[in-house]
Amino acid sequence: MAELASKTPPMLPPQAVEEKAVSPWKEAWKSFKKNKLAIVGLSIVSFFILLAVFADLVAPYEYADVKLEDKHLPPSGDHWFGTDEFGRDIFSRIIYGSRISLWVGFLSVAGSVVVGSFLGIVAGYYGKWIDTIISRIFDIILAFPSILLAIAVVSVLGPSLRNALIAIAIINVPTFGRLVRSRVLSVKEEEYITAAKAIGMTDFRILIHHVLPNSMAPIIVQGTLAIATAIIECAALGFLGLGAQPPTPEWGKMLSDSRIFILEAPWTVLFPGLAIMLTVLGFNLMGDGLRDALDPRMKN
């Protein structure tokens, strides 16, 4: 008996058992923190978000202040990034431009997530003719190159930042719709969904309490990467004159207005381009880190 007692593993106290039970989100955060590139991406994104929030405090000048006598001044202590063809401070315009780019990125992706997730859940859960109709709509939208479809939508609605946001949201809906649909098709076959139906839960409660929460991880990853794409598409529309209108300091529009001065004043093109590159890089690095942290197949 003494030998059996010595070989029996000691019982863990309840507190120790609770400490061992780590939530999936905490586990994902621990994995995310180990990825150095993901932390770099998070730092870049956080930096630009802080710039956008505190632009009024950080920017040394108003973005629309015109001083023709100061046009095309090179970078200096008074104007860190130089001035443009109207004597406006480029550093201040880039800071205020971060508000626009991030606003378009977050809002357009949020709209795409809401509409795409709703259509994807309905198509995947109910199937049959509903799935066929929604899937064909997705296929039609995806048949067009995204930037050409965005140009067409803005051309119909009229050039403006709001219409550019709507166009970017529309072209990203199929991406989230198909992602959520594929996830729902696998989740709805699980035993806990069958048990929920057996106890009389309504379809709405099943979708909200079971299907949607189990589809959040891929949505978060794709959403982070889609923000980077939305910022590039916003800059492209602005470059073509279909997005933000003067004097709004949108990065793509700043590139468009300065391209003819690239030899005379290269800093007018360099710094808006760097702002776009760094922001997109930050979101891509963070999205890759989230994918590695939330996808079980990526873990060792």
Side-chain angles (χ1 to χ4, degrees):
M1 292 296 290
E3 291 180 359
L4 287 174
S6 62
K7 292 181 180 180
T8 304
M11 296 293 293
L12 291 174
Q15 184 179 0
V17 175
E18 289 179 2
E19 289 177 355
K20 282 192 171 185
V22 181
S23 70
W25 295 107
K26 288 184 178 180
E27 188 76 22
W29 172 242
K30 288 182 179 180
S31 177
F32 182 86
K33 289 193 296 183
K34 294 177 182 178
N35 190 328
K36 294 182 179 179
L37 288 178
I39 295 299
V40 171
L42 178 61
S43 301
I44 294 173
V45 171
S46 301
F47 172 74
F48 278 99
I49 290 176
L50 290 174
L51 274 186
V53 172
F54 299 105
D56 295 329
L57 300 176
V58 177
Y61 303 94
E62 288 292 329
Y63 67 84
D65 283 350
V66 175
K67 294 182 179 179
L68 295 178
E69 65 274 14
D70 292 339
K71 74 172 187 176
H72 288 164
L73 293 178
S76 63
D78 294 330
H79 302 281
W80 290 1
F81 291 174
T83 59
D84 63 9
E85 68 274 19
F86 296 108
R88 296 173 299 194
D89 183 66
I90 294 177
F91 178 67
S92 300
R93 289 178 63 78
I94 286 177
I95 291 175
Y96 281 103
S98 63
R99 281 185 175 179
I100 297 170
S101 295
L102 293 176
W103 179 72
V104 171
F106 281 111
L107 281 188
S108 62
V109 170
S112 301
V113 168
V114 171
V115 177
S117 298
F118 172 77
L119 294 176
I121 286 175
V122 171
Y125 188 77
Y126 291 103
K128 299 181 181 178
W129 63 270
I130 298 178
D131 184 17
T132 301
I133 292 175
I134 294 177
S135 296
R136 296 297 78 78
I137 292 174
F138 290 162
D139 292 339
I140 292 172
I141 296 176
L142 290 172
F144 298 93
S146 59
I147 190 62
L148 292 182
L149 182 58
I151 292 172
V153 173
V154 175
S155 299
V156 172
L157 299 177
S160 71
L161 188 62
R162 183 190 65 180
N163 293 338
L165 189 154
I166 294 173
I168 295 170
I170 290 174
I171 63 178
N172 286 320
V173 164
T175 302
F176 292 97
R178 297 181 74 173
L179 176 68
V180 174
R181 174 184 174 273
S182 63
R183 182 64 179 170
V184 171
L185 287 175
S186 61
V187 169
K188 75 174 186 178
E189 303 298 330
E190 298 290 340
E191 294 181 357
Y192 60 86
I193 300 295
T194 305
K197 291 179 179 178
I199 63 175
M201 286 187 68
T202 62
D203 289 343
F204 180 78
R205 290 190 64 188
I206 292 174
L207 291 174
I208 296 299
H209 293 285
H210 296 292
V211 176
L212 186 59
N214 285 283
S215 306
M216 286 303 297
I219 292 175
I220 292 172
V221 174
Q222 184 59 40
T224 305
L225 297 172
I227 292 174
T229 305
I231 291 174
I232 293 178
E233 290 164 347
C234 177
L237 291 174
F239 187 85
L240 296 173
L242 298 174
Q245 301 300 306
T248 306
E250 195 274 321
W251 293 339
K253 183 62 177 171
M254 291 173 65
L255 284 175
S256 176
D257 294 339
S258 303
R259 69 186 187 278
I260 59 176
F261 305 111
I262 189 170
L263 296 179
E264 178 185 348
W267 56 86
T268 59
V269 177
L270 174 63
F271 293 111
L274 284 176
I276 295 172
M277 184 200 72
L278 287 175
T279 307
V280 172
L281 176 65
F283 277 106
N284 282 333
L285 291 177
M286 191 171 69
D288 289 341
L290 287 173
R291 180 196 60 197
D292 296 343
L294 295 174
D295 190 349
R297 294 172 297 181
M298 302 297 295
K299 297 178 181 178
N300 294 326

